[in-house]
Amino acid sequence: MRLILEVWRQDGPDAEGSFETHEITDATPEMSLLELLDRLNHQLVENDQDPVAFESDCREGICGTCGLDVNGVPHGPEDNVPACGQHVRSFTDGQTVRFTPFRARSFPVVRDLIVDRTGLDRIIQAGGTISVDAGTAPDADTLLVTHDDAERALDFAACIGCGACVSACPNGAAYLYTGAKLAHLALIPHGKEERAKRARSMIAQMQHEFGPCSQIGECALACPAEIPLLAIAAVNRERLRAGFKWRKPN
Amino acid sequence: MSSEIQERSDIDQIPVAARPATTPPPRPQTWVLKLIMAVTGSVFVLFILFHLAGNLKVYLPDDPQGHFNEYAHWLRTLLNPLLPGSTFLWIFRATLVACLCLHVYSGLTLWIRAHRLRGRHARKVHATKHHLTGRTMLWSGLIILSFIVFHLLDLTIGRGVESKDFSTKAVYKLEGGEVVTDAYSNLVHSFQRPEVAIFYVVVMVVIAFHLSHGLWSVINDFGGTAPRTRTVFLFLADLVALIVVIGNASIPLAVLAGGISV
Ligand code: HEM
Ligand code: FES
């Protein structure tokens, strides 16, 4: 397969950046999008040019490291699949494929297709952890969690933190991400202790770097972990709930 | 470290990666603004439905003019004698104006925040209904705002854009003997101008767009996570939008078609 690749090249956070066009003549339908970029990089190195910087790690959809926009869509043309799991067969012979870094003011470009996603980490640092002393492992069946709650908590915990929801959002919002974390921890016994405090601090941090949600729904269509759209309502639910709790002295 | 940085404007100067982990959020906080949007938006929805019920009196089979004018008069003197004269109407109006100011202020603030935080590259979006309605909320809102001004000048105050037969004088005699403003004739005369009638119809479609995304937003802003409630709201949002557009837009069309006349 022949594909024309338009790739965003940017030397550093403050550099201007521009598109570079390359042709790949030996792409195969079963290549993943990352393998397509690998192929391009081989070609660039053979011609004594700089390879394109992009991130990847597990290449099986569990780490959330890969993250780039393909033809203006996070991760690529298929909904709910990470870039490492999307394939060249989505394109037709001779098609132009455009690679850009994740789009969001809160994700500054580090180099080429790599963006700085530490804004998401700062939301977790603000309270997405359990910091009470949970003691030793309790006896079986002393903390009862229903099967449904356990399943739902796991569904929200499936978030791999890739940042596609932010890139998909016309407002640069991180509601789906924050909502998934809040909903996950609110459903399990150890997470309930700091529930109100967590909601206040994580949501304060989220608003600091990310935009407001307008309920458009792009995030849930991009999310490779298929976090349901109701996670955005979980943000508001947790914050309203915290608003009715007295602040505990710390 | 966080205490040194109080103003959000200062924080914008710091590269994202170097920002402290805990920083003050923008004020008023986004979730507060969203809550204000949801509460004031819901007040408007209730008002619109209430207003629609009154408007639909033009379709009553016998004496629509009498019923409509009686309703207009009833609104003016509601809760009399508890509150003298048109006190209730003024409380009602003050509440709506306060809601409108809050709604527009919050909407603009959210829109500015959203636009500052989106990135630079072009985005291809899914062709969902929420894209059409959701991303045009500010524009449909501003059209509604200018419509409210037009509507008041046209049918309440009668200045600038009213029909040549407009009158606020008490000329219509109710069955009870009271003489009141002939709101019905003012309405019919206004809609007998085709360009005005078409304008009303177009604005009703715009309002329907705003409502269908707005009511869906309300359930999110109030933190409704139960899947069934969300499905009901998604349906209700379209239903209310449809009722408003069909109910209201049919009136100018009926006047144009000659079905309603003085
Ligand atoms: C009768 C008139 C109006 C009705 C019934 C109405 C109703 C609503 C409702 C129910 C919402 C959803 C609130 C939420 O986020 O939960 C909303 C959102 C919105 N309204 Fe209005 N509204 C009206 C007038 C206006 C006007 C005059 C503006 C002018 C700027 C406006 C701008 C907006 C904006 C920008 C949003 C979206 C906020 C967001 O991003 O979530 N609306 N409206
Ligand atoms: S590389 Fe790990 S999710 Fe794509």
Side-chain angles (χ1 to χ4, degrees), chain A residues 36-52:
Chain A
L36 183 65
L37 286 173
D38 288 339
R39 184 71 203 86
L40 171 67
N41 279 347
H42 277 294
Q43 192 172 310
L44 288 173
V45 171
E46 275 166 22
N47 296 335
D48 274 344
Q49 286 170 293
D50 268 348
V52 176

Side-chain angles (χ1 to χ4, degrees), chain A residues 72 79 167 205 207-208 214, chain B residues 11 21 29-30 123 126 213 217:
Chain A
D79 286 349
S167 180
Q205 180 61 26
Q207 293 172 75
H208 176 66
S214 293
Chain B
I11 279 157
Q29 293 200 40
T30 292
R123 161 74 56 245
H126 291 82
H213 189 75
S217 300

Side-chain angles (χ1 to χ4, degrees), chain B residues 180-196:
Chain B
V180 298
T181 307
D182 192 359
Y184 181 85
S185 299
N186 287 341
L187 174 98
V188 173
H189 288 136
S190 178
F191 290 170
Q192 275 168 348
R193 300 171 294 172
E195 68 285 1
V196 173

